[in-house]
Amino acid sequence: MEHDAVQHAVQSGSKIQDLAWLVLFLPLLGSVMAWFITRRDRVLTTVFTLGTVILSFILSVTLFAVFGAASAECTPFQFLHIGDLKVDIGLHLDALSTLMLLVVTGVASLVMIFSTSYMHDDASYSRFFCTLGLFVFSMLGIVLANNFVMMFVFWELVGVSSYLLIGFWFERPAAGDAAKKAFLSNRLGDFGFILGILMVWSAVGSVNFQEIQASLIKNPAAMGVWAGLAGLLVFMGAMGKSAQFPLHVWLPDAMEGPTPVSALIHAATMVAAGVYMLCRVFFIYTVPAGWPPALSFLGDLSAATVVAWIGGITALLAALTAVQQNDIKRILAYSTLSQLGYMVMAVGLGASTGNPSASMFHLFTHAFFKAMLFLGAGSVIHACHHEQDIWRMGGLWKKMPVTFWTFAIGTAALAGLPPFSGFYSKDEILATALEANPILCGLAVLVACLTTFYMCRLVLVAFFGTTRTESAEHAHESPRSMTIPLMFLAVPSVVAGWFPVGEFIAGHFGVRSHEGVGRVVAQEGIGPMLTMILGGIDHALFAPFNHNALAAFLGLFGVLLGGSAAWALYWNQARDPLPGLFTNLSRAMRKKFYFDEIYDSVFIPIHDTVACIMAWFDRWIIDGLGVRGIHGTIEIVGRALRLVQTGNLQTYAFLFAAGVAFLAFIALQ
């Protein structure tokens, strides 16, 4: 019966599969029309770009309601077929993609509404909205891709879009440098990503996700000794896009772009792409570990374990750095880095149970409250005449009540305070870590403590105390087009964790799909699922304590400890007391642990030296001896041979006689 219900859902969905193509191409269509037709008219530009994204959101809700937990692949068309390589352009709809469509289009719609006021006075208003539409289109392509090649194409489009938006104010040298830094850092990760794709294709013979998964289920050892290396190379793509150590250095500098761009990058698009990709190709990390002979010393170490530890290190490193940042946007940027580390760690730890749903659950809830926090920061910056130093603010809670209360909700959700959404998704990660790796669980609890500390520090310094500057003194609440998106985002920031999103996603990975929301969606659709959820809200509120009480209490302990420390240190403080208590550590945190300086002094010179050597080798060995040497030799021989083709009979007679004489000399000898 369940199988028949799923088949019925798929058949019903096939009738509206064109909606998926519309969801994908509507943002691009709006941007193209706005750029070529209405670029000089701001109102029409807004209508085309914002209207198409909102329409994509409405269609995404429809797709989610129709497909639920079912899986369907939209009719693909052949893109490339060379030998054994077959690449189709097709869209795949399932629990992961339909849920992610809601996040991307929903958050993007609210960000663009906010931007209508934030960017109102900017001379390049139309260029901004057209590029945002391209950005949304690129991210939707990653979400809907059904194979590695299509995903990689949109992966690079996301990189181009982020480059254009981070460097939007290109007349500022810092913005141009930040855009180049992001672009080059991502190229390093993408180089490994494409090598990993080639390695998977060579081992399995396909780039289609479903075909690869089916092959690995049938033969888990299909990738043999290359399984571990392929997993790490694919992960390098996520290291770049989701800014994981050591490719994390670009994300804080991306704050040079307009604040709405930061909200979109940090919540629903670029940095979310890496985590989503890892969940989409999660089957690669569940196969038996294997390493080529050169890496045989790694033994039984799996790629998933490496992924988990890199995520944990990134989470801790970013949280420590955020503690001593004073720029409101950079604090939130390092917060994103830390939360992404949480998600990546959950993917790696989930390999032991075959269930990375905790990562996607946190990605889902994080999108709402992080978008709200960045837009709240934009509201503060707008009100304070583009002041971003929290120590030059103060006393804003009375002047900007809507911004303050929504920002406070986002802070509580990010810290993981119940009943806000972040508590439930973070608890899933802590529970997974406690069961799979207690050391990483302890690290995650420490990160939770630090997260509460630096976010409470931000709120206490920026919104409480006395006003410290003239700009803060004259601050006032932002217009409704900026505060309404904040209020809309505040709702899921509170209640999104009450929904069993983790169980819904777990059903996609075949875990607990026989019960609860996964079964209800597959059999009966979204309506019965909502009824079931609303009837069990009271149970959902206390689910973390029922599931793993120790993990829930550890998370709460971290929140209370971090909040208490921040209150003791920063309540009514005119300057930061931490540098006086921990001078060297505080300086290292402010300097981002000197990663930029290390890269500039060590890796950049090494890179330049290797580049110079390779340039010399290319110029003198490849071009000189190889290309020009062969060319010159052939040219000289050709010129010499040309002399014997003169058309002069006397010359031919002379050469004939000389040849006879030479042969006679040889014979006589």
Side-chain angles (χ1 to χ4, degrees), residues 497-531:
W498 302 357
F499 297 86
V501 177
E503 185 182 342
F504 174 71
I505 299 168
H508 170 76
F509 294 98
V511 180
R512 299 194 304 272
S513 59
H514 61 283
E515 61 183 34
V517 67
R519 176 187 57 76
V520 172
V521 173
Q523 290 187 357
E524 304 176 40
I526 295 299
M529 181 200 76
L530 293 176
T531 302

mmCIF file of all heavy atoms in Angstrom, residues 497-531:
data_model
loop_
_atom_site.group_PDB
_atom_site.id
_atom_site.type_symbol
_atom_site.label_atom_id
_atom_site.label_comp_id
_atom_site.label_asym_id
_atom_site.label_seq_id
_atom_site.Cartn_x
_atom_site.Cartn_y
_atom_site.Cartn_z
ATOM 1 N N GLY A 497 11.876 24.811 14.556
ATOM 2 C CA GLY A 497 12.401 23.629 15.233
ATOM 3 C C GLY A 497 11.331 22.747 15.832
ATOM 4 O O GLY A 497 11.610 21.602 16.207
ATOM 5 N N TRP A 498 10.115 23.252 15.928
ATOM 6 C CA TRP A 498 9.034 22.432 16.492
ATOM 7 C C TRP A 498 8.558 21.368 15.506
ATOM 8 O O TRP A 498 7.923 20.399 15.905
ATOM 9 C CB TRP A 498 7.836 23.326 16.858
ATOM 10 C CG TRP A 498 8.170 24.413 17.834
ATOM 11 C CD1 TRP A 498 9.371 24.637 18.450
ATOM 12 C CD2 TRP A 498 7.290 25.438 18.295
ATOM 13 N NE1 TRP A 498 9.304 25.746 19.254
ATOM 14 C CE2 TRP A 498 8.028 26.261 19.185
ATOM 15 C CE3 TRP A 498 5.957 25.758 18.043
ATOM 16 C CZ2 TRP A 498 7.481 27.363 19.814
ATOM 17 C CZ3 TRP A 498 5.398 26.856 18.676
ATOM 18 C CH2 TRP A 498 6.151 27.654 19.557
ATOM 19 N N PHE A 499 8.841 21.578 14.244
ATOM 20 C CA PHE A 499 8.429 20.624 13.220
ATOM 21 C C PHE A 499 9.471 19.515 13.102
ATOM 22 O O PHE A 499 10.674 19.776 13.188
ATOM 23 C CB PHE A 499 8.259 21.331 11.876
ATOM 24 C CG PHE A 499 7.185 22.382 11.879
ATOM 25 C CD1 PHE A 499 7.464 23.681 12.287
ATOM 26 C CD2 PHE A 499 5.901 22.066 11.493
ATOM 27 C CE1 PHE A 499 6.477 24.650 12.301
ATOM 28 C CE2 PHE A 499 4.902 23.035 11.502
ATOM 29 C CZ PHE A 499 5.187 24.320 11.909
ATOM 30 N N PRO A 500 9.035 18.289 12.884
ATOM 31 C CA PRO A 500 9.977 17.156 12.813
ATOM 32 C C PRO A 500 10.735 17.111 11.492
ATOM 33 O O PRO A 500 10.655 16.140 10.738
ATOM 34 C CB PRO A 500 9.055 15.947 12.993
ATOM 35 C CG PRO A 500 7.743 16.389 12.450
ATOM 36 C CD PRO A 500 7.624 17.857 12.777
ATOM 37 N N VAL A 501 11.450 18.210 11.195
ATOM 38 C CA VAL A 501 12.192 18.278 9.938
ATOM 39 C C VAL A 501 13.287 17.218 9.900
ATOM 40 O O VAL A 501 13.552 16.618 8.855
ATOM 41 C CB VAL A 501 12.804 19.690 9.753
ATOM 42 C CG1 VAL A 501 13.637 19.757 8.480
ATOM 43 C CG2 VAL A 501 11.702 20.738 9.720
ATOM 44 N N GLY A 502 13.912 16.980 11.062
ATOM 45 C CA GLY A 502 14.953 15.963 11.108
ATOM 46 C C GLY A 502 14.431 14.595 10.719
ATOM 47 O O GLY A 502 15.068 13.856 9.959
ATOM 48 N N GLU A 503 13.250 14.238 11.215
ATOM 49 C CA GLU A 503 12.652 12.945 10.880
ATOM 50 C C GLU A 503 12.237 12.911 9.421
ATOM 51 O O GLU A 503 12.372 11.888 8.741
ATOM 52 C CB GLU A 503 11.440 12.692 11.774
ATOM 53 C CG GLU A 503 10.824 11.315 11.582
ATOM 54 C CD GLU A 503 9.599 11.112 12.447
ATOM 55 O OE1 GLU A 503 9.435 11.875 13.416
ATOM 56 O OE2 GLU A 503 8.819 10.198 12.140
ATOM 57 N N PHE A 504 11.719 14.037 8.920
ATOM 58 C CA PHE A 504 11.335 14.129 7.516
ATOM 59 C C PHE A 504 12.533 13.870 6.605
ATOM 60 O O PHE A 504 12.447 13.112 5.630
ATOM 61 C CB PHE A 504 10.752 15.518 7.259
ATOM 62 C CG PHE A 504 10.442 15.807 5.816
ATOM 63 C CD1 PHE A 504 9.379 15.188 5.185
ATOM 64 C CD2 PHE A 504 11.217 16.715 5.101
ATOM 65 C CE1 PHE A 504 9.090 15.464 3.851
ATOM 66 C CE2 PHE A 504 10.932 16.988 3.774
ATOM 67 C CZ PHE A 504 9.870 16.368 3.147
ATOM 68 N N ILE A 505 13.688 14.485 6.935
ATOM 69 C CA ILE A 505 14.896 14.290 6.127
ATOM 70 C C ILE A 505 15.454 12.890 6.336
ATOM 71 O O ILE A 505 15.939 12.256 5.389
ATOM 72 C CB ILE A 505 15.949 15.357 6.490
ATOM 73 C CG1 ILE A 505 15.402 16.761 6.196
ATOM 74 C CG2 ILE A 505 17.233 15.131 5.705
ATOM 75 C CD1 ILE A 505 16.238 17.865 6.773
ATOM 76 N N ALA A 506 15.378 12.393 7.573
ATOM 77 C CA ALA A 506 15.876 11.043 7.842
ATOM 78 C C ALA A 506 15.155 10.013 6.999
ATOM 79 O O ALA A 506 15.747 9.018 6.563
ATOM 80 C CB ALA A 506 15.730 10.715 9.324
ATOM 81 N N GLY A 507 13.867 10.245 6.732
ATOM 82 C CA GLY A 507 13.125 9.339 5.871
ATOM 83 C C GLY A 507 13.717 9.261 4.482
ATOM 84 O O GLY A 507 13.682 8.215 3.824
ATOM 85 N N HIS A 508 14.292 10.371 4.019
ATOM 86 C CA HIS A 508 14.943 10.369 2.710
ATOM 87 C C HIS A 508 16.135 9.421 2.681
ATOM 88 O O HIS A 508 16.435 8.813 1.651
ATOM 89 C CB HIS A 508 15.392 11.788 2.361
ATOM 90 C CG HIS A 508 16.273 11.877 1.159
ATOM 91 N ND1 HIS A 508 15.788 11.776 -0.131
ATOM 92 C CD2 HIS A 508 17.623 12.042 1.038
ATOM 93 C CE1 HIS A 508 16.788 11.887 -0.983
ATOM 94 N NE2 HIS A 508 17.901 12.040 -0.303
ATOM 95 N N PHE A 509 16.813 9.298 3.815
ATOM 96 C CA PHE A 509 17.994 8.433 3.898
ATOM 97 C C PHE A 509 17.650 7.033 4.389
ATOM 98 O O PHE A 509 18.534 6.252 4.748
ATOM 99 C CB PHE A 509 19.044 9.065 4.815
ATOM 100 C CG PHE A 509 19.616 10.340 4.269
ATOM 101 C CD1 PHE A 509 19.130 11.571 4.696
ATOM 102 C CD2 PHE A 509 20.616 10.308 3.313
ATOM 103 C CE1 PHE A 509 19.643 12.756 4.184
ATOM 104 C CE2 PHE A 509 21.130 11.485 2.798
ATOM 105 C CZ PHE A 509 20.644 12.710 3.230
ATOM 106 N N GLY A 510 16.337 6.724 4.433
ATOM 107 C CA GLY A 510 15.916 5.383 4.799
ATOM 108 C C GLY A 510 15.954 5.103 6.277
ATOM 109 O O GLY A 510 15.928 3.944 6.695
ATOM 110 N N VAL A 511 16.005 6.144 7.099
ATOM 111 C CA VAL A 511 16.056 5.968 8.547
ATOM 112 C C VAL A 511 14.723 6.384 9.146
ATOM 113 O O VAL A 511 14.270 7.513 8.936
ATOM 114 C CB VAL A 511 17.194 6.809 9.172
ATOM 115 C CG1 VAL A 511 17.237 6.609 10.680
ATOM 116 C CG2 VAL A 511 18.519 6.450 8.536
ATOM 117 N N ARG A 512 14.077 5.496 9.880
ATOM 118 C CA ARG A 512 12.789 5.745 10.531
ATOM 119 C C ARG A 512 11.715 6.188 9.533
ATOM 120 O O ARG A 512 10.765 6.848 9.885
ATOM 121 C CB ARG A 512 12.926 6.797 11.635
ATOM 122 C CG ARG A 512 13.876 6.406 12.752
ATOM 123 C CD ARG A 512 13.713 7.304 13.953
ATOM 124 N NE ARG A 512 13.871 8.701 13.651
ATOM 125 C CZ ARG A 512 15.030 9.336 13.669
ATOM 126 N NH1 ARG A 512 16.140 8.678 13.971
ATOM 127 N NH2 ARG A 512 15.092 10.617 13.403
ATOM 128 N N SER A 513 11.890 5.842 8.252
ATOM 129 C CA SER A 513 10.902 6.258 7.258
ATOM 130 C C SER A 513 9.589 5.491 7.395
ATOM 131 O O SER A 513 8.603 5.846 6.775
ATOM 132 C CB SER A 513 11.455 6.043 5.847
ATOM 133 O OG SER A 513 11.794 4.686 5.646
ATOM 134 N N HIS A 514 9.583 4.426 8.215
ATOM 135 C CA HIS A 514 8.376 3.625 8.370
ATOM 136 C C HIS A 514 7.426 4.198 9.408
ATOM 137 O O HIS A 514 6.332 3.683 9.609
ATOM 138 C CB HIS A 514 8.752 2.198 8.781
ATOM 139 C CG HIS A 514 9.488 2.148 10.091
ATOM 140 N ND1 HIS A 514 10.821 2.490 10.187
ATOM 141 C CD2 HIS A 514 9.083 1.807 11.347
ATOM 142 C CE1 HIS A 514 11.204 2.352 11.456
ATOM 143 N NE2 HIS A 514 10.174 1.948 12.171
ATOM 144 N N GLU A 515 7.832 5.274 10.061
ATOM 145 C CA GLU A 515 6.966 5.815 11.105
ATOM 146 C C GLU A 515 6.975 7.328 11.054
ATOM 147 O O GLU A 515 7.790 7.950 10.387
ATOM 148 C CB GLU A 515 7.446 5.350 12.484
ATOM 149 C CG GLU A 515 8.863 5.816 12.809
ATOM 150 C CD GLU A 515 9.360 5.305 14.144
ATOM 151 O OE1 GLU A 515 9.000 4.179 14.518
ATOM 152 O OE2 GLU A 515 10.099 6.051 14.805
ATOM 153 N N GLY A 516 6.087 7.934 11.776
ATOM 154 C CA GLY A 516 6.093 9.375 11.950
ATOM 155 C C GLY A 516 5.836 10.142 10.662
ATOM 156 O O GLY A 516 5.159 9.695 9.747
ATOM 157 N N VAL A 517 6.421 11.337 10.600
ATOM 158 C CA VAL A 517 6.118 12.271 9.532
ATOM 159 C C VAL A 517 6.565 11.762 8.177
ATOM 160 O O VAL A 517 5.926 12.014 7.158
ATOM 161 C CB VAL A 517 6.758 13.646 9.842
ATOM 162 C CG1 VAL A 517 8.268 13.574 9.802
ATOM 163 C CG2 VAL A 517 6.265 14.689 8.866
ATOM 164 N N GLY A 518 7.687 11.054 8.102
ATOM 165 C CA GLY A 518 8.145 10.539 6.815
ATOM 166 C C GLY A 518 7.117 9.617 6.197
ATOM 167 O O GLY A 518 6.811 9.696 5.010
ATOM 168 N N ARG A 519 6.547 8.722 6.998
ATOM 169 C CA ARG A 519 5.541 7.801 6.480
ATOM 170 C C ARG A 519 4.272 8.557 6.091
ATOM 171 O O ARG A 519 3.675 8.306 5.044
ATOM 172 C CB ARG A 519 5.213 6.752 7.548
ATOM 173 C CG ARG A 519 4.097 5.796 7.130
ATOM 174 C CD ARG A 519 3.702 4.887 8.274
ATOM 175 N NE ARG A 519 3.285 5.638 9.450
ATOM 176 C CZ ARG A 519 2.097 6.235 9.563
ATOM 177 N NH1 ARG A 519 1.228 6.171 8.573
ATOM 178 N NH2 ARG A 519 1.779 6.904 10.654
ATOM 179 N N VAL A 520 3.844 9.490 6.932
ATOM 180 C CA VAL A 520 2.598 10.209 6.657
ATOM 181 C C VAL A 520 2.702 10.999 5.360
ATOM 182 O O VAL A 520 1.792 10.994 4.525
ATOM 183 C CB VAL A 520 2.251 11.146 7.840
ATOM 184 C CG1 VAL A 520 1.076 12.042 7.478
ATOM 185 C CG2 VAL A 520 1.933 10.314 9.077
ATOM 186 N N VAL A 521 3.837 11.688 5.154
ATOM 187 C CA VAL A 521 3.993 12.471 3.933
ATOM 188 C C VAL A 521 3.995 11.565 2.714
ATOM 189 O O VAL A 521 3.368 11.852 1.691
ATOM 190 C CB VAL A 521 5.293 13.299 3.989
ATOM 191 C CG1 VAL A 521 5.551 13.967 2.661
ATOM 192 C CG2 VAL A 521 5.191 14.351 5.076
ATOM 193 N N ALA A 522 4.733 10.452 2.800
ATOM 194 C CA ALA A 522 4.824 9.551 1.654
ATOM 195 C C ALA A 522 3.474 8.962 1.293
ATOM 196 O O ALA A 522 3.143 8.781 0.118
ATOM 197 C CB ALA A 522 5.822 8.431 1.952
ATOM 198 N N GLN A 523 2.652 8.673 2.307
ATOM 199 C CA GLN A 523 1.391 7.985 2.047
ATOM 200 C C GLN A 523 0.230 8.933 1.792
ATOM 201 O O GLN A 523 -0.587 8.698 0.916
ATOM 202 C CB GLN A 523 1.035 7.079 3.233
ATOM 203 C CG GLN A 523 1.937 5.861 3.367
ATOM 204 C CD GLN A 523 1.438 4.927 4.450
ATOM 205 O OE1 GLN A 523 0.472 5.210 5.126
ATOM 206 N NE2 GLN A 523 2.111 3.810 4.609
ATOM 207 N N GLU A 524 0.167 10.023 2.551
ATOM 208 C CA GLU A 524 -1.063 10.806 2.548
ATOM 209 C C GLU A 524 -0.873 12.263 2.148
ATOM 210 O O GLU A 524 -1.838 12.977 1.952
ATOM 211 C CB GLU A 524 -1.717 10.731 3.941
ATOM 212 C CG GLU A 524 -1.979 9.304 4.397
ATOM 213 C CD GLU A 524 -2.530 9.266 5.815
ATOM 214 O OE1 GLU A 524 -3.359 10.130 6.133
ATOM 215 O OE2 GLU A 524 -2.120 8.393 6.587
ATOM 216 N N GLY A 525 0.376 12.751 2.066
ATOM 217 C CA GLY A 525 0.600 14.113 1.631
ATOM 218 C C GLY A 525 0.827 15.073 2.782
ATOM 219 O O GLY A 525 0.924 14.703 3.946
ATOM 220 N N ILE A 526 0.891 16.370 2.426
ATOM 221 C CA ILE A 526 1.273 17.401 3.382
ATOM 222 C C ILE A 526 0.166 17.701 4.393
ATOM 223 O O ILE A 526 0.423 17.952 5.563
ATOM 224 C CB ILE A 526 1.655 18.688 2.626
ATOM 225 C CG1 ILE A 526 2.903 18.433 1.773
ATOM 226 C CG2 ILE A 526 1.917 19.826 3.595
ATOM 227 C CD1 ILE A 526 4.108 18.036 2.585
ATOM 228 N N GLY A 527 -1.097 17.686 3.971
ATOM 229 C CA GLY A 527 -2.189 18.028 4.880
ATOM 230 C C GLY A 527 -2.223 17.185 6.127
ATOM 231 O O GLY A 527 -2.205 17.708 7.259
ATOM 232 N N PRO A 528 -2.275 15.840 6.013
ATOM 233 C CA PRO A 528 -2.241 14.998 7.209
ATOM 234 C C PRO A 528 -0.973 15.189 8.035
ATOM 235 O O PRO A 528 -1.004 15.070 9.254
ATOM 236 C CB PRO A 528 -2.326 13.580 6.635
ATOM 237 C CG PRO A 528 -3.007 13.747 5.317
ATOM 238 C CD PRO A 528 -2.537 15.061 4.791
ATOM 239 N N MET A 529 0.134 15.507 7.331
ATOM 240 C CA MET A 529 1.368 15.739 8.076
ATOM 241 C C MET A 529 1.227 16.948 9.003
ATOM 242 O O MET A 529 1.615 16.915 10.173
ATOM 243 C CB MET A 529 2.537 15.972 7.114
ATOM 244 C CG MET A 529 3.875 16.193 7.815
ATOM 245 S SD MET A 529 5.118 16.999 6.790
ATOM 246 C CE MET A 529 4.545 18.701 6.822
ATOM 247 N N LEU A 530 0.633 18.040 8.484
ATOM 248 C CA LEU A 530 0.457 19.236 9.300
ATOM 249 C C LEU A 530 -0.481 18.961 10.470
ATOM 250 O O LEU A 530 -0.256 19.445 11.584
ATOM 251 C CB LEU A 530 -0.079 20.375 8.437
ATOM 252 C CG LEU A 530 0.876 20.914 7.359
ATOM 253 C CD1 LEU A 530 0.179 21.972 6.515
ATOM 254 C CD2 LEU A 530 2.136 21.490 8.000
ATOM 255 N N THR A 531 -1.518 18.199 10.211
ATOM 256 C CA THR A 531 -2.434 17.840 11.297
ATOM 257 C C THR A 531 -1.715 17.064 12.381
ATOM 258 O O THR A 531 -1.892 17.308 13.585
ATOM 259 C CB THR A 531 -3.596 17.000 10.743
ATOM 260 O OG1 THR A 531 -4.267 17.745 9.718
ATOM 261 C CG2 THR A 531 -4.581 16.644 11.840
#
